[in-house]
Amino acid sequence: MLLKMDTEFLRFKYEDSHDGVITKTKFKIGIRHIQIIYMFMSSVVMGAMRGSTGVGILAISDMDHNSSYIEMHNWSQRIQGLILSSYFFGYALFLIPAEVYLAQFGEKLVLTAVLLINGSMSAAMPTIVNKGGWIATCNTQFLLGMTQACITPVNQKLITNWLPPHERSTFNCIVQGGLILGIMIGLPISGLISEARLGWELVFYSQAMMTFSMAVIWGLLTASRPDKHKAVGDWESEFIKETSKFYRKKTLKNPWRRVLRTRQFWAIAGSHAVSNAIFIFFLVNIPAYLKGFQLPLYEVTFQVMLAFASLCLVYILTAPSLDWAYRIGIVDHFFDIRYLRKLVNGLGMIGLVTGLILIPNSIPGNQWTVFLMMITLSSLSLQYSGFLENHKDMSQNFSGTLLVMTSAVAGVVGAFVPLMTGMIVVDVTDQTCWRIMYFILAALVIVSGIFYTAFGESDRQFWDDGLKNKYGYTNETTNLELDEFESNI
């Protein structure tokens, strides 16, 4: 979740700088690519859990579901908000510790443990809900959120262990993209399952079945490194070692305090926080909004899935196009790069505000509402090509660290969204309460957009590693020459 949960599928684009040069060689399929397939499958499974958890909590309180097989709980919106916020708080609070410590080793046992813990908690969820009530459910969701924060840093390290440098970006994109694909798969399937006789219990049992199955596959058929996998041949192991030998991550001290003292950081952190708040609102609160107007849950989740699909599609179409236009110099004839980021972000802001104002004033469930939801999340993806790119503009050495820091801020802010929604929307059928929530989000988008426009910058910051690392990588010869140059000035 949601790096950051909303941008976790883009994590591959942001990493701290490395020493050395990437050497491209002829592509050869090997055991390492089978390992990537298993990693992708794990990401899809964990993404499906994220997409189905909110639906499962909503189905628990669906008193219209007539079944003698399960026990229903008439939880208020406030209680549902507390449960969902517990999940996101667990994710947000464990995000930085997971990035700092788990990224150092990335053993396969960590991911196996995450899968087993999620499977165990999902299998026990019906008992926890029925016997422990909403307080026990909050504690369980908090633990699940903590484990979900471990997925991306472990995947990052495993990809570094298994792939040569020139393959990492492409396959990292595929693995991390599995998370958002899993959300899109989990939403409609969980909505359909919730209509069965076992209802919400079957949603959590299905989660357990998925994660336990994936844990067995991952534990038996994968390894932490190529030299620990029995099926990896000598040629492939040597190929990975040779291509990675002269390309390693720099050992630079992260400038945590200096970054936190700059207003430029808080400008992009504010935009990131609001975008994550909207992402979470659409993921867990929009289904409740649509369900409040007597729409079937499977239809509700399908409509929300379409909105997330539009987010991915628009980003896939716009982000590469903007990057290409910038690389070949077309943009330089019309805009300074600092104005381009703000222009793109501003266009996304206009779309977001328009959508958030119009959705609560439309008839829920009709094609116009679905179209508005798709336009709103498409505008959110447009913002990803705005403020998110500033991470790489501001720092050539710490863009990955910078993204983690803004994601931590965004995670905490986003965790308050279900809680705030539950406090404002007492009755899901009250359109006035929903309008208030939509307008609050629209106001936050405007404020963050103004703040970003005023203080956001695309210039490299003073806390980045100065002249010696100007080109994003260093070697001893370059540093020696620069030292001599500086001593002669």
Side-chain angles (χ1 to χ4, degrees):
M1 242 175 265
L2 299 195
L3 195 168
K4 153 174 144 42
M5 183 169 292
D6 63 320
T7 56
E8 213 167 20
F9 69 103
L10 306 178
R11 182 65 173 84
F12 71 97
K13 296 180 64 177
Y14 305 87
E15 65 174 354
D16 293 349
S17 59
H18 288 63
D19 281 321
V21 178
I22 297 177
T23 303
K24 292 187 177 181
T25 59
K26 185 177 180 180
F27 179 79
K28 295 181 180 179
I29 296 177
I31 299 298
R32 65 188 184 278
H33 300 114
I34 299 178
Q35 173 89 6
I36 294 300
I37 292 175
Y38 293 138
M39 293 177 66
F40 172 76
M41 292 168 59
S42 298
S43 295
V44 171
V45 167
M46 300 310 289
M49 280 201 65
R50 296 177 182 183
S52 59
T53 296
V55 178
I57 299 299
L58 179 61
I60 291 174
S61 304
D62 185 8
M63 304 308 294
D64 296 330
H65 188 277
N66 297 318
S67 177
S68 58
Y69 292 92
I70 58 175
E71 180 181 354
M72 307 303 294
H73 300 266
N74 192 16
W75 286 344
S76 65
Q77 284 297 302
R78 183 172 298 181
I79 291 177
Q80 293 181 47
L82 281 169
I83 294 171
L84 294 170
S85 286
S86 298
Y87 180 93
F88 293 112
F89 274 120
Y91 182 93
L93 295 179
F94 204 67
L95 183 59
I96 289 183
E99 287 280 354
V100 172
Y101 296 107
L102 292 183
Q104 295 179 4
F105 47 91
E107 294 290 336
K108 79 164 189 177
L109 294 178
V110 177
L111 190 52
T112 306
V114 169
L115 290 167
L116 289 174
I117 291 172
N118 279 262
S120 301
M121 292 295 99
S122 296
M125 187 63 72
T127 303
I128 292 171
V129 171
N130 293 328
K131 302 298 183 181
W134 66 270
I135 296 178
T137 307
C138 285
N139 294 329
T140 305
Q141 291 298 318
F142 184 83
L143 177 61
L144 288 174
M146 291 177 62
T147 59
Q148 288 266 350
C150 303
I151 299 171
T152 298
V154 172
N155 279 342
Q156 293 286 112
K157 183 60 178 178
L158 287 170
I159 287 173
T160 301
N161 291 343
W162 271 93
L163 295 178
H166 65 278
E167 292 182 2
R168 291 175 189 172
S169 179
T170 300
F171 289 105
N172 204 340
C173 173
I174 294 173
V175 171
Q176 299 303 107
L179 292 169
I180 191 70
L181 178 62
I183 289 176
M184 291 189 291
I185 294 174
L187 278 167
I189 291 180
S190 59
L192 188 62
I193 290 175
S194 66
E195 302 289 338
R197 287 184 177 182
L198 288 177
W200 65 269
E201 291 190 2
L202 187 58
V203 173
F204 293 107
Y205 288 141
S206 300
Q207 288 182 348
M209 182 176 62
M210 285 191 308
T211 48
F212 278 140
S213 300
M214 195 64 238
V216 172
I217 294 173
W218 181 260
L220 295 178
L221 301 179
T222 66
S224 300
R225 295 187 299 275
D227 56 359
K228 290 187 176 183
H229 200 296
K230 296 181 180 179
V232 176
D234 292 338
W235 73 268
E236 186 173 11
S237 180
E238 287 299 317
F239 168 72
I240 296 172
K241 288 181 181 178
E242 288 298 319
T243 53
S244 303
K245 183 185 300 183
F246 301 107
Y247 186 76
R248 60 190 184 278
K249 187 176 181 179
K250 293 180 183 178
T251 55
L252 298 174
K253 185 178 180 180
N254 290 324
W256 302 102
R257 293 182 179 179
R258 288 184 291 171
V259 172
L260 291 173
R261 292 171 183 170
T262 59
R263 62 186 181 185
Q264 292 83 3
F265 164 78
W266 291 107
I268 59 175
S271 293
H272 196 170
V274 174
S275 73
N276 190 45
I278 295 173
F279 186 96
I280 291 175
F281 180 76
F282 269 77
L283 180 61
V284 300
N285 293 124
I286 286 289
Y289 168 71
L290 297 174
K291 185 68 175 63
F293 296 91
Q294 307 305 315
L295 294 177
L297 198 51
Y298 68 87
E299 183 179 336
V300 166
T301 52
F302 181 76
Q303 292 178 4
V304 177
M305 182 273 291
L306 290 177
F308 280 98
S310 66
L311 181 150
C312 294
L313 180 61
V314 171
Y315 183 81
I316 291 172
L317 294 176
T318 58
S321 301
L322 289 171
D323 289 342
W324 173 79
Y326 174 66
R327 284 198 304 269
I328 67 174
I330 295 178
V331 175
D332 294 336
H333 295 289
F334 303 97
F335 299 103
D336 187 288
I337 184 62
R338 70 187 72 181
Y339 302 124
L340 174 66
R341 305 292 191 219
K342 293 179 181 180
L343 175 63
V344 173
N345 199 76
L347 293 174
M349 181 186 72
I350 293 172
L352 282 172
V353 173
T354 303
L356 290 171
I357 291 175
L358 293 179
I359 288 175
N361 293 291
S362 62
I363 301 175
N366 65 9
Q367 296 179 351
W368 173 244
T369 303
V370 177
F371 175 74
L372 287 175
M373 291 193 301
M374 295 174 66
I375 290 296
T376 304
L377 283 193
S378 298
S379 300
L380 182 63
S381 69
L382 191 61
Q383 281 202 321
Y384 291 159
S385 299
F387 73 86
L388 275 184
E389 295 299 319
N390 279 127
H391 293 79
K392 293 185 290 186
D393 297 334
M394 291 170 60
S395 174
Q396 296 177 4
N397 294 312
F398 301 106
S399 61
T401 299
L402 197 59
L403 181 64
V404 171
M405 294 175 69
T406 61
S407 297
V409 176
V412 174
V413 173
F416 280 100
V417 171
L419 181 61
M420 183 186 301
T421 304
M423 296 176 65
I424 293 174
V425 183
V426 179
D427 182 5
V428 292
T429 62
D430 190 345
Q431 190 81 335
T432 302
C433 293
W434 282 110
R435 284 195 184 98
I436 294 173
M437 190 62 208
Y438 277 101
F439 292 164
I440 289 174
L441 290 174
L444 289 175
V445 171
I446 294 173
V447 171
S448 66
I450 293 174
F451 189 73
Y452 171 77
T453 303
F455 300 109
E457 290 186 7
S458 298
D459 298 327
R460 190 176 181 186
Q461 299 299 297
F462 69 93
W463 40 262
D464 204 27
D465 191 27
L467 180 63
K468 293 186 179 182
N469 299 311
K470 181 177 180 181
Y471 300 102
Y473 61 88
T474 61
N475 54 50
E476 294 180 358
T477 304
T478 303
N479 283 339
L480 180 60
E481 292 175 352
L482 289 169
D483 287 337
E484 293 175 353
F485 173 76
E486 290 173 348
S487 63
N488 293 328
I489 295 178

